[in-house]
Amino acid sequence: MDLNQTSALVEASIAGLKVDPVACRGQKPGQWSLIYKGATIWIDVFNFQNNPERWYFQVMSPLVEVPDKNKEAFFQNLLEINHTLYGSWICKKNEWTYVMMLREAADLDQNEVNATLDRVAYYCSDYVGKIKFKFEGSWLPKTSQPGSSTVDGPK
């Protein structure tokens, strides 16, 4: 599948949520951002210059910032949560954790795009409060956020 084919699946999924996919589009083709089930969701369809025929589908949602204290217990907890997730995982990039799913776009279908958006949004919305509660007091006051959302979809 190429950019146009995969983008059509993504936009059909967003439209199925009763959200205007055009309003969710990012600055570059193959990027969308929305809020779904209370979670910020970023969707990317991309390829690499060294292999332009192979396209990828990625959905990710910022979970929580890495805490300033209790990091070992925090990461142990995330590993244990990962064992319970289906079709997605929790990862760390820089000082943030994310719920994400990444796969090649080949053979991607509408049901999988729909299910992936549902899973990532559900897991992020479900675990953000649990993690913040369990590790309350582990974060020093900060103002950073990993990006921004553009559309408030159904909750």
Side-chain angles (χ1 to χ4, degrees):
M1 296 191 77
D2 64 15
L3 175 64
N4 292 331
Q5 294 166 318
T6 308
S7 294
L9 294 175
V10 169
E11 294 208 345
S13 287
I14 294 171
L17 301 174
K18 308 292 188 246
V19 176
D20 179 8
V22 173
C24 298
R25 288 180 186 160
Q27 294 179 359
K28 298 178 185 175
Q31 296 179 335
W32 299 264
S33 177
L34 67 144
I35 295 178
Y36 176 49
K37 294 187 177 185
T40 298
I41 304 296
W42 299 323
I43 307 164
D44 294 289
V45 176
F46 62 94
N47 65 353
F48 294 102
Q49 288 182 354
N50 63 345
N51 195 356
E53 299 302 313
R54 183 171 288 176
W55 288 86
Y56 297 89
F57 169 67
Q58 175 178 276
V59 178
M60 65 188 295
S61 181
L63 185 60
V64 294
E65 192 168 11
V66 173
D68 301 295
K69 302 182 276 185
N70 302 315
K71 287 184 182 184
E72 184 176 338
F74 173 81
F75 286 121
Q76 179 71 32
N77 187 254
L78 294 187
L79 283 172
E80 291 173 7
I81 292 170
N82 261 339
H83 185 265
T84 68
L85 302 183
Y86 174 79
S88 59
W89 55 85
I90 297 174
C91 65
K92 175 191 174 291
K93 181 176 181 183
N94 300 322
E95 293 304 311
W96 275 86
T97 60
Y98 301 87
V99 176
M100 77 173 287
M101 191 288 301
L102 170 65
R103 65 156 283 183
E104 291 178 343
D107 300 320
L108 186 66
D109 66 27
Q110 193 67 63
N111 288 332
E112 187 171 357
V113 173
N114 295 346
T116 299
L117 293 179
D118 258 5
R119 278 188 208 110
V120 170
Y122 173 80
Y123 289 144
C124 195
S125 293
D126 186 46
Y127 283 108
V128 68
K130 293 174 181 177
I131 292 168
K132 285 180 177 180
F133 178 78
K134 185 171 187 172
F135 292 96
E136 185 177 4
S138 296
W139 291 271
L140 298 175
K142 292 189 178 97
T143 59
S144 64
Q145 290 292 330
S148 62
S149 58
T150 58
V151 174
D152 190 5
K155 303 269 191 293

PDB file of all heavy atoms in Angstrom, residues 119-155:
ATOM      1  N   ARG A 119      -7.678   0.821  20.147  1.00  0.00           N
ATOM      2  CA  ARG A 119      -6.775   0.270  21.160  1.00  0.00           C
ATOM      3  C   ARG A 119      -5.857   1.325  21.749  1.00  0.00           C
ATOM      4  O   ARG A 119      -5.731   1.435  22.972  1.00  0.00           O
ATOM      5  CB  ARG A 119      -5.906  -0.833  20.556  1.00  0.00           C
ATOM      6  CG  ARG A 119      -6.553  -2.149  20.473  1.00  0.00           C
ATOM      7  CD  ARG A 119      -5.512  -3.203  20.041  1.00  0.00           C
ATOM      8  NE  ARG A 119      -6.222  -4.239  19.341  1.00  0.00           N
ATOM      9  CZ  ARG A 119      -6.145  -4.464  18.036  1.00  0.00           C
ATOM     10  NH1 ARG A 119      -5.336  -3.764  17.276  1.00  0.00           N
ATOM     11  NH2 ARG A 119      -6.857  -5.420  17.494  1.00  0.00           N
ATOM     12  N   VAL A 120      -5.187   2.071  20.885  1.00  0.00           N
ATOM     13  CA  VAL A 120      -4.224   3.060  21.374  1.00  0.00           C
ATOM     14  C   VAL A 120      -4.938   4.099  22.239  1.00  0.00           C
ATOM     15  O   VAL A 120      -4.471   4.446  23.326  1.00  0.00           O
ATOM     16  CB  VAL A 120      -3.450   3.700  20.205  1.00  0.00           C
ATOM     17  CG1 VAL A 120      -2.631   4.896  20.678  1.00  0.00           C
ATOM     18  CG2 VAL A 120      -2.533   2.668  19.543  1.00  0.00           C
ATOM     19  N   ALA A 121      -6.082   4.587  21.788  1.00  0.00           N
ATOM     20  CA  ALA A 121      -6.835   5.577  22.563  1.00  0.00           C
ATOM     21  C   ALA A 121      -7.314   4.990  23.888  1.00  0.00           C
ATOM     22  O   ALA A 121      -7.183   5.623  24.940  1.00  0.00           O
ATOM     23  CB  ALA A 121      -8.016   6.086  21.752  1.00  0.00           C
ATOM     24  N   TYR A 122      -7.863   3.782  23.847  1.00  0.00           N
ATOM     25  CA  TYR A 122      -8.361   3.161  25.075  1.00  0.00           C
ATOM     26  C   TYR A 122      -7.240   2.936  26.089  1.00  0.00           C
ATOM     27  O   TYR A 122      -7.366   3.299  27.255  1.00  0.00           O
ATOM     28  CB  TYR A 122      -9.059   1.830  24.766  1.00  0.00           C
ATOM     29  CG  TYR A 122      -9.429   1.099  26.021  1.00  0.00           C
ATOM     30  CD1 TYR A 122     -10.569   1.461  26.737  1.00  0.00           C
ATOM     31  CD2 TYR A 122      -8.623   0.079  26.523  1.00  0.00           C
ATOM     32  CE1 TYR A 122     -10.893   0.812  27.918  1.00  0.00           C
ATOM     33  CE2 TYR A 122      -8.949  -0.573  27.700  1.00  0.00           C
ATOM     34  CZ  TYR A 122     -10.078  -0.208  28.395  1.00  0.00           C
ATOM     35  OH  TYR A 122     -10.396  -0.836  29.569  1.00  0.00           O
ATOM     36  N   TYR A 123      -6.149   2.329  25.642  1.00  0.00           N
ATOM     37  CA  TYR A 123      -5.052   2.041  26.565  1.00  0.00           C
ATOM     38  C   TYR A 123      -4.471   3.315  27.159  1.00  0.00           C
ATOM     39  O   TYR A 123      -4.183   3.380  28.352  1.00  0.00           O
ATOM     40  CB  TYR A 123      -3.945   1.236  25.878  1.00  0.00           C
ATOM     41  CG  TYR A 123      -4.301  -0.196  25.575  1.00  0.00           C
ATOM     42  CD1 TYR A 123      -3.844  -0.799  24.414  1.00  0.00           C
ATOM     43  CD2 TYR A 123      -5.078  -0.957  26.440  1.00  0.00           C
ATOM     44  CE1 TYR A 123      -4.147  -2.132  24.122  1.00  0.00           C
ATOM     45  CE2 TYR A 123      -5.394  -2.275  26.162  1.00  0.00           C
ATOM     46  CZ  TYR A 123      -4.922  -2.858  25.001  1.00  0.00           C
ATOM     47  OH  TYR A 123      -5.224  -4.175  24.710  1.00  0.00           O
ATOM     48  N   CYS A 124      -4.295   4.331  26.344  1.00  0.00           N
ATOM     49  CA  CYS A 124      -3.728   5.570  26.862  1.00  0.00           C
ATOM     50  C   CYS A 124      -4.683   6.204  27.883  1.00  0.00           C
ATOM     51  O   CYS A 124      -4.264   6.570  28.980  1.00  0.00           O
ATOM     52  CB  CYS A 124      -3.425   6.549  25.723  1.00  0.00           C
ATOM     53  SG  CYS A 124      -2.350   7.885  26.255  1.00  0.00           S
ATOM     54  N   SER A 125      -5.941   6.309  27.533  1.00  0.00           N
ATOM     55  CA  SER A 125      -6.926   6.889  28.453  1.00  0.00           C
ATOM     56  C   SER A 125      -7.043   6.085  29.737  1.00  0.00           C
ATOM     57  O   SER A 125      -7.188   6.643  30.820  1.00  0.00           O
ATOM     58  CB  SER A 125      -8.300   6.970  27.784  1.00  0.00           C
ATOM     59  OG  SER A 125      -8.279   7.887  26.742  1.00  0.00           O
ATOM     60  N   ASP A 126      -6.975   4.770  29.635  1.00  0.00           N
ATOM     61  CA  ASP A 126      -7.118   3.898  30.791  1.00  0.00           C
ATOM     62  C   ASP A 126      -5.905   3.977  31.719  1.00  0.00           C
ATOM     63  O   ASP A 126      -6.052   4.054  32.936  1.00  0.00           O
ATOM     64  CB  ASP A 126      -7.334   2.453  30.325  1.00  0.00           C
ATOM     65  CG  ASP A 126      -7.647   1.513  31.467  1.00  0.00           C
ATOM     66  OD1 ASP A 126      -8.492   1.864  32.324  1.00  0.00           O
ATOM     67  OD2 ASP A 126      -7.049   0.422  31.509  1.00  0.00           O
ATOM     68  N   TYR A 127      -4.721   3.957  31.158  1.00  0.00           N
ATOM     69  CA  TYR A 127      -3.520   3.868  31.989  1.00  0.00           C
ATOM     70  C   TYR A 127      -2.978   5.199  32.470  1.00  0.00           C
ATOM     71  O   TYR A 127      -2.265   5.228  33.471  1.00  0.00           O
ATOM     72  CB  TYR A 127      -2.423   3.068  31.270  1.00  0.00           C
ATOM     73  CG  TYR A 127      -2.701   1.592  31.333  1.00  0.00           C
ATOM     74  CD1 TYR A 127      -3.113   0.887  30.217  1.00  0.00           C
ATOM     75  CD2 TYR A 127      -2.575   0.897  32.539  1.00  0.00           C
ATOM     76  CE1 TYR A 127      -3.393  -0.472  30.281  1.00  0.00           C
ATOM     77  CE2 TYR A 127      -2.856  -0.451  32.615  1.00  0.00           C
ATOM     78  CZ  TYR A 127      -3.265  -1.133  31.478  1.00  0.00           C
ATOM     79  OH  TYR A 127      -3.550  -2.471  31.567  1.00  0.00           O
ATOM     80  N   VAL A 128      -3.268   6.299  31.813  1.00  0.00           N
ATOM     81  CA  VAL A 128      -2.693   7.571  32.248  1.00  0.00           C
ATOM     82  C   VAL A 128      -3.067   7.886  33.704  1.00  0.00           C
ATOM     83  O   VAL A 128      -2.210   8.244  34.507  1.00  0.00           O
ATOM     84  CB  VAL A 128      -3.050   8.737  31.287  1.00  0.00           C
ATOM     85  CG1 VAL A 128      -4.523   9.092  31.329  1.00  0.00           C
ATOM     86  CG2 VAL A 128      -2.196   9.946  31.582  1.00  0.00           C
ATOM     87  N   GLY A 129      -4.328   7.744  34.061  1.00  0.00           N
ATOM     88  CA  GLY A 129      -4.758   8.021  35.428  1.00  0.00           C
ATOM     89  C   GLY A 129      -4.200   7.021  36.424  1.00  0.00           C
ATOM     90  O   GLY A 129      -3.801   7.392  37.542  1.00  0.00           O
ATOM     91  N   LYS A 130      -4.163   5.757  36.047  1.00  0.00           N
ATOM     92  CA  LYS A 130      -3.630   4.722  36.938  1.00  0.00           C
ATOM     93  C   LYS A 130      -2.162   4.952  37.242  1.00  0.00           C
ATOM     94  O   LYS A 130      -1.723   4.803  38.386  1.00  0.00           O
ATOM     95  CB  LYS A 130      -3.831   3.336  36.313  1.00  0.00           C
ATOM     96  CG  LYS A 130      -5.280   2.922  36.206  1.00  0.00           C
ATOM     97  CD  LYS A 130      -5.434   1.619  35.448  1.00  0.00           C
ATOM     98  CE  LYS A 130      -6.887   1.233  35.316  1.00  0.00           C
ATOM     99  NZ  LYS A 130      -7.075   0.010  34.522  1.00  0.00           N
ATOM    100  N   ILE A 131      -1.390   5.299  36.216  1.00  0.00           N
ATOM    101  CA  ILE A 131       0.050   5.530  36.407  1.00  0.00           C
ATOM    102  C   ILE A 131       0.281   6.786  37.234  1.00  0.00           C
ATOM    103  O   ILE A 131       1.098   6.781  38.166  1.00  0.00           O
ATOM    104  CB  ILE A 131       0.762   5.609  35.037  1.00  0.00           C
ATOM    105  CG1 ILE A 131       0.744   4.233  34.370  1.00  0.00           C
ATOM    106  CG2 ILE A 131       2.195   6.121  35.194  1.00  0.00           C
ATOM    107  CD1 ILE A 131       1.152   4.257  32.901  1.00  0.00           C
ATOM    108  N   LYS A 132      -0.439   7.853  36.927  1.00  0.00           N
ATOM    109  CA  LYS A 132      -0.272   9.097  37.693  1.00  0.00           C
ATOM    110  C   LYS A 132      -0.646   8.887  39.159  1.00  0.00           C
ATOM    111  O   LYS A 132       0.006   9.427  40.056  1.00  0.00           O
ATOM    112  CB  LYS A 132      -1.098  10.223  37.082  1.00  0.00           C
ATOM    113  CG  LYS A 132      -0.500  10.768  35.804  1.00  0.00           C
ATOM    114  CD  LYS A 132      -1.346  11.890  35.234  1.00  0.00           C
ATOM    115  CE  LYS A 132      -0.726  12.485  33.991  1.00  0.00           C
ATOM    116  NZ  LYS A 132      -1.537  13.576  33.426  1.00  0.00           N
ATOM    117  N   PHE A 133      -1.689   8.119  39.406  1.00  0.00           N
ATOM    118  CA  PHE A 133      -2.101   7.840  40.780  1.00  0.00           C
ATOM    119  C   PHE A 133      -1.047   6.996  41.500  1.00  0.00           C
ATOM    120  O   PHE A 133      -0.638   7.307  42.618  1.00  0.00           O
ATOM    121  CB  PHE A 133      -3.456   7.127  40.799  1.00  0.00           C
ATOM    122  CG  PHE A 133      -3.919   6.777  42.179  1.00  0.00           C
ATOM    123  CD1 PHE A 133      -4.475   7.733  43.007  1.00  0.00           C
ATOM    124  CD2 PHE A 133      -3.784   5.474  42.659  1.00  0.00           C
ATOM    125  CE1 PHE A 133      -4.892   7.414  44.296  1.00  0.00           C
ATOM    126  CE2 PHE A 133      -4.199   5.142  43.936  1.00  0.00           C
ATOM    127  CZ  PHE A 133      -4.754   6.110  44.763  1.00  0.00           C
ATOM    128  N   LYS A 134      -0.599   5.932  40.855  1.00  0.00           N
ATOM    129  CA  LYS A 134       0.357   5.016  41.476  1.00  0.00           C
ATOM    130  C   LYS A 134       1.687   5.697  41.781  1.00  0.00           C
ATOM    131  O   LYS A 134       2.321   5.401  42.788  1.00  0.00           O
ATOM    132  CB  LYS A 134       0.586   3.808  40.575  1.00  0.00           C
ATOM    133  CG  LYS A 134       1.472   2.744  41.195  1.00  0.00           C
ATOM    134  CD  LYS A 134       1.481   1.485  40.368  1.00  0.00           C
ATOM    135  CE  LYS A 134       2.227   0.380  41.101  1.00  0.00           C
ATOM    136  NZ  LYS A 134       2.087  -0.903  40.419  1.00  0.00           N
ATOM    137  N   PHE A 135       2.097   6.620  40.922  1.00  0.00           N
ATOM    138  CA  PHE A 135       3.394   7.277  41.085  1.00  0.00           C
ATOM    139  C   PHE A 135       3.251   8.753  41.467  1.00  0.00           C
ATOM    140  O   PHE A 135       4.150   9.549  41.208  1.00  0.00           O
ATOM    141  CB  PHE A 135       4.227   7.094  39.818  1.00  0.00           C
ATOM    142  CG  PHE A 135       4.631   5.665  39.618  1.00  0.00           C
ATOM    143  CD1 PHE A 135       3.881   4.832  38.800  1.00  0.00           C
ATOM    144  CD2 PHE A 135       5.716   5.130  40.301  1.00  0.00           C
ATOM    145  CE1 PHE A 135       4.223   3.486  38.644  1.00  0.00           C
ATOM    146  CE2 PHE A 135       6.066   3.802  40.158  1.00  0.00           C
ATOM    147  CZ  PHE A 135       5.313   2.979  39.331  1.00  0.00           C
ATOM    148  N   GLU A 136       2.145   9.080  42.125  1.00  0.00           N
ATOM    149  CA  GLU A 136       1.911  10.456  42.564  1.00  0.00           C
ATOM    150  C   GLU A 136       3.107  10.957  43.372  1.00  0.00           C
ATOM    151  O   GLU A 136       3.665  10.234  44.195  1.00  0.00           O
ATOM    152  CB  GLU A 136       0.640  10.524  43.407  1.00  0.00           C
ATOM    153  CG  GLU A 136       0.256  11.928  43.809  1.00  0.00           C
ATOM    154  CD  GLU A 136      -1.046  11.982  44.585  1.00  0.00           C
ATOM    155  OE1 GLU A 136      -1.625  10.917  44.886  1.00  0.00           O
ATOM    156  OE2 GLU A 136      -1.484  13.101  44.875  1.00  0.00           O
ATOM    157  N   GLY A 137       3.515  12.175  43.119  1.00  0.00           N
ATOM    158  CA  GLY A 137       4.651  12.760  43.826  1.00  0.00           C
ATOM    159  C   GLY A 137       5.995  12.447  43.181  1.00  0.00           C
ATOM    160  O   GLY A 137       7.035  12.902  43.659  1.00  0.00           O
ATOM    161  N   SER A 138       5.998  11.669  42.095  1.00  0.00           N
ATOM    162  CA  SER A 138       7.254  11.305  41.432  1.00  0.00           C
ATOM    163  C   SER A 138       7.689  12.320  40.381  1.00  0.00           C
ATOM    164  O   SER A 138       8.797  12.246  39.876  1.00  0.00           O
ATOM    165  CB  SER A 138       7.113   9.923  40.773  1.00  0.00           C
ATOM    166  OG  SER A 138       6.897   8.933  41.752  1.00  0.00           O
ATOM    167  N   TRP A 139       6.817  13.256  40.045  1.00  0.00           N
ATOM    168  CA  TRP A 139       7.135  14.273  39.038  1.00  0.00           C
ATOM    169  C   TRP A 139       7.313  15.619  39.711  1.00  0.00           C
ATOM    170  O   TRP A 139       6.495  16.022  40.541  1.00  0.00           O
ATOM    171  CB  TRP A 139       6.018  14.399  38.005  1.00  0.00           C
ATOM    172  CG  TRP A 139       5.894  13.219  37.105  1.00  0.00           C
ATOM    173  CD1 TRP A 139       6.548  13.023  35.919  1.00  0.00           C
ATOM    174  CD2 TRP A 139       5.072  12.058  37.292  1.00  0.00           C
ATOM    175  NE1 TRP A 139       6.183  11.819  35.371  1.00  0.00           N
ATOM    176  CE2 TRP A 139       5.274  11.198  36.191  1.00  0.00           C
ATOM    177  CE3 TRP A 139       4.188  11.648  38.290  1.00  0.00           C
ATOM    178  CZ2 TRP A 139       4.634   9.985  36.049  1.00  0.00           C
ATOM    179  CZ3 TRP A 139       3.539  10.434  38.156  1.00  0.00           C
ATOM    180  CH2 TRP A 139       3.769   9.613  37.050  1.00  0.00           C
ATOM    181  N   LEU A 140       8.353  16.323  39.333  1.00  0.00           N
ATOM    182  CA  LEU A 140       8.524  17.706  39.757  1.00  0.00           C
ATOM    183  C   LEU A 140       7.663  18.574  38.840  1.00  0.00           C
ATOM    184  O   LEU A 140       7.393  18.186  37.697  1.00  0.00           O
ATOM    185  CB  LEU A 140       9.991  18.118  39.659  1.00  0.00           C
ATOM    186  CG  LEU A 140      10.958  17.325  40.549  1.00  0.00           C
ATOM    187  CD1 LEU A 140      12.395  17.748  40.276  1.00  0.00           C
ATOM    188  CD2 LEU A 140      10.610  17.474  42.015  1.00  0.00           C
ATOM    189  N   PRO A 141       7.213  19.741  39.283  1.00  0.00           N
ATOM    190  CA  PRO A 141       6.380  20.596  38.426  1.00  0.00           C
ATOM    191  C   PRO A 141       7.107  20.957  37.129  1.00  0.00           C
ATOM    192  O   PRO A 141       8.263  21.370  37.145  1.00  0.00           O
ATOM    193  CB  PRO A 141       6.143  21.845  39.283  1.00  0.00           C
ATOM    194  CG  PRO A 141       6.373  21.389  40.691  1.00  0.00           C
ATOM    195  CD  PRO A 141       7.410  20.304  40.612  1.00  0.00           C
ATOM    196  N   LYS A 142       6.405  20.773  35.985  1.00  0.00           N
ATOM    197  CA  LYS A 142       6.942  21.085  34.655  1.00  0.00           C
ATOM    198  C   LYS A 142       5.819  21.626  33.790  1.00  0.00           C
ATOM    199  O   LYS A 142       4.650  21.416  34.065  1.00  0.00           O
ATOM    200  CB  LYS A 142       7.521  19.837  33.992  1.00  0.00           C
ATOM    201  CG  LYS A 142       8.757  19.316  34.667  1.00  0.00           C
ATOM    202  CD  LYS A 142       9.393  18.216  33.846  1.00  0.00           C
ATOM    203  CE  LYS A 142      10.657  17.734  34.497  1.00  0.00           C
ATOM    204  NZ  LYS A 142      10.490  16.555  35.287  1.00  0.00           N
ATOM    205  N   THR A 143       6.196  22.242  32.690  1.00  0.00           N
ATOM    206  CA  THR A 143       5.192  22.773  31.776  1.00  0.00           C
ATOM    207  C   THR A 143       5.290  22.165  30.387  1.00  0.00           C
ATOM    208  O   THR A 143       4.532  22.530  29.507  1.00  0.00           O
ATOM    209  CB  THR A 143       5.329  24.306  31.647  1.00  0.00           C
ATOM    210  OG1 THR A 143       6.636  24.604  31.172  1.00  0.00           O
ATOM    211  CG2 THR A 143       5.081  24.987  32.975  1.00  0.00           C
ATOM    212  N   SER A 144       6.199  21.217  30.152  1.00  0.00           N
ATOM    213  CA  SER A 144       6.375  20.681  28.798  1.00  0.00           C
ATOM    214  C   SER A 144       5.266  19.707  28.423  1.00  0.00           C
ATOM    215  O   SER A 144       4.726  19.020  29.268  1.00  0.00           O
ATOM    216  CB  SER A 144       7.727  19.974  28.671  1.00  0.00           C
ATOM    217  OG  SER A 144       7.773  18.848  29.517  1.00  0.00           O
ATOM    218  N   GLN A 145       4.949  19.699  27.153  1.00  0.00           N
ATOM    219  CA  GLN A 145       3.974  18.762  26.582  1.00  0.00           C
ATOM    220  C   GLN A 145       4.558  18.219  25.291  1.00  0.00           C
ATOM    221  O   GLN A 145       5.200  18.958  24.558  1.00  0.00           O
ATOM    222  CB  GLN A 145       2.645  19.457  26.282  1.00  0.00           C
ATOM    223  CG  GLN A 145       1.868  19.856  27.509  1.00  0.00           C
ATOM    224  CD  GLN A 145       1.343  18.684  28.301  1.00  0.00           C
ATOM    225  OE1 GLN A 145       1.054  17.639  27.742  1.00  0.00           O
ATOM    226  NE2 GLN A 145       1.217  18.840  29.589  1.00  0.00           N
ATOM    227  N   PRO A 146       4.315  16.958  24.952  1.00  0.00           N
ATOM    228  CA  PRO A 146       4.866  16.382  23.720  1.00  0.00           C
ATOM    229  C   PRO A 146       4.008  16.674  22.492  1.00  0.00           C
ATOM    230  O   PRO A 146       3.353  15.815  21.955  1.00  0.00           O
ATOM    231  CB  PRO A 146       4.885  14.885  24.020  1.00  0.00           C
ATOM    232  CG  PRO A 146       3.694  14.698  24.897  1.00  0.00           C
ATOM    233  CD  PRO A 146       3.636  15.958  25.752  1.00  0.00           C
ATOM    234  N   GLY A 147       3.917  17.922  22.067  1.00  0.00           N
ATOM    235  CA  GLY A 147       3.124  18.252  20.889  1.00  0.00           C
ATOM    236  C   GLY A 147       1.766  18.818  21.282  1.00  0.00           C
ATOM    237  O   GLY A 147       1.529  19.148  22.426  1.00  0.00           O
ATOM    238  N   SER A 148       0.882  18.885  20.315  1.00  0.00           N
ATOM    239  CA  SER A 148      -0.445  19.421  20.583  1.00  0.00           C
ATOM    240  C   SER A 148      -1.480  18.698  19.752  1.00  0.00           C
ATOM    241  O   SER A 148      -1.169  18.105  18.740  1.00  0.00           O
ATOM    242  CB  SER A 148      -0.485  20.913  20.280  1.00  0.00           C
ATOM    243  OG  SER A 148      -0.218  21.126  18.916  1.00  0.00           O
ATOM    244  N   SER A 149      -2.717  18.771  20.193  1.00  0.00           N
ATOM    245  CA  SER A 149      -3.800  18.138  19.450  1.00  0.00           C
ATOM    246  C   SER A 149      -4.586  19.210  18.721  1.00  0.00           C
ATOM    247  O   SER A 149      -4.541  20.381  19.081  1.00  0.00           O
ATOM    248  CB  SER A 149      -4.703  17.364  20.405  1.00  0.00           C
ATOM    249  OG  SER A 149      -5.209  18.245  21.377  1.00  0.00           O
ATOM    250  N   THR A 150      -5.328  18.805  17.695  1.00  0.00           N
ATOM    251  CA  THR A 150      -6.036  19.794  16.893  1.00  0.00           C
ATOM    252  C   THR A 150      -7.537  19.614  16.882  1.00  0.00           C
ATOM    253  O   THR A 150      -8.256  20.550  16.588  1.00  0.00           O
ATOM    254  CB  THR A 150      -5.542  19.741  15.432  1.00  0.00           C
ATOM    255  OG1 THR A 150      -5.734  18.423  14.918  1.00  0.00           O
ATOM    256  CG2 THR A 150      -4.071  20.113  15.341  1.00  0.00           C
ATOM    257  N   VAL A 151      -8.026  18.446  17.192  1.00  0.00           N
ATOM    258  CA  VAL A 151      -9.463  18.199  17.067  1.00  0.00           C
ATOM    259  C   VAL A 151      -9.937  17.437  18.289  1.00  0.00           C
ATOM    260  O   VAL A 151      -9.269  16.510  18.749  1.00  0.00           O
ATOM    261  CB  VAL A 151      -9.764  17.374  15.788  1.00  0.00           C
ATOM    262  CG1 VAL A 151     -11.218  17.002  15.733  1.00  0.00           C
ATOM    263  CG2 VAL A 151      -9.380  18.167  14.566  1.00  0.00           C
ATOM    264  N   ASP A 152     -11.078  17.793  18.795  1.00  0.00           N
ATOM    265  CA  ASP A 152     -11.662  17.077  19.915  1.00  0.00           C
ATOM    266  C   ASP A 152     -12.741  16.144  19.364  1.00  0.00           C
ATOM    267  O   ASP A 152     -13.801  16.590  18.973  1.00  0.00           O
ATOM    268  CB  ASP A 152     -12.250  18.060  20.902  1.00  0.00           C
ATOM    269  CG  ASP A 152     -12.659  17.421  22.204  1.00  0.00           C
ATOM    270  OD1 ASP A 152     -12.390  16.208  22.369  1.00  0.00           O
ATOM    271  OD2 ASP A 152     -13.222  18.100  23.070  1.00  0.00           O
ATOM    272  N   GLY A 153     -12.414  14.862  19.301  1.00  0.00           N
ATOM    273  CA  GLY A 153     -13.336  13.860  18.764  1.00  0.00           C
ATOM    274  C   GLY A 153     -14.271  13.337  19.834  1.00  0.00           C
ATOM    275  O   GLY A 153     -14.301  13.839  20.944  1.00  0.00           O
ATOM    276  N   PRO A 154     -14.998  12.286  19.529  1.00  0.00           N
ATOM    277  CA  PRO A 154     -15.940  11.717  20.489  1.00  0.00           C
ATOM    278  C   PRO A 154     -15.220  11.166  21.703  1.00  0.00           C
ATOM    279  O   PRO A 154     -14.095  10.720  21.607  1.00  0.00           O
ATOM    280  CB  PRO A 154     -16.646  10.607  19.705  1.00  0.00           C
ATOM    281  CG  PRO A 154     -15.860  10.404  18.469  1.00  0.00           C
ATOM    282  CD  PRO A 154     -14.983  11.589  18.272  1.00  0.00           C
ATOM    283  N   LYS A 155     -15.859  11.225  22.812  1.00  0.00           N
ATOM    284  CA  LYS A 155     -15.270  10.704  24.056  1.00  0.00           C
ATOM    285  C   LYS A 155     -15.882   9.366  24.389  1.00  0.00           C
ATOM    286  O   LYS A 155     -16.990   9.093  24.161  1.00  0.00           O
ATOM    287  CB  LYS A 155     -15.523  11.682  25.207  1.00  0.00           C
ATOM    288  CG  LYS A 155     -14.983  13.059  24.931  1.00  0.00           C
ATOM    289  CD  LYS A 155     -13.565  13.191  25.432  1.00  0.00           C
ATOM    290  CE  LYS A 155     -13.050  14.572  25.440  1.00  0.00           C
ATOM    291  NZ  LYS A 155     -12.824  15.296  24.289  1.00  0.00           N
TER     292      LYS A 155
END
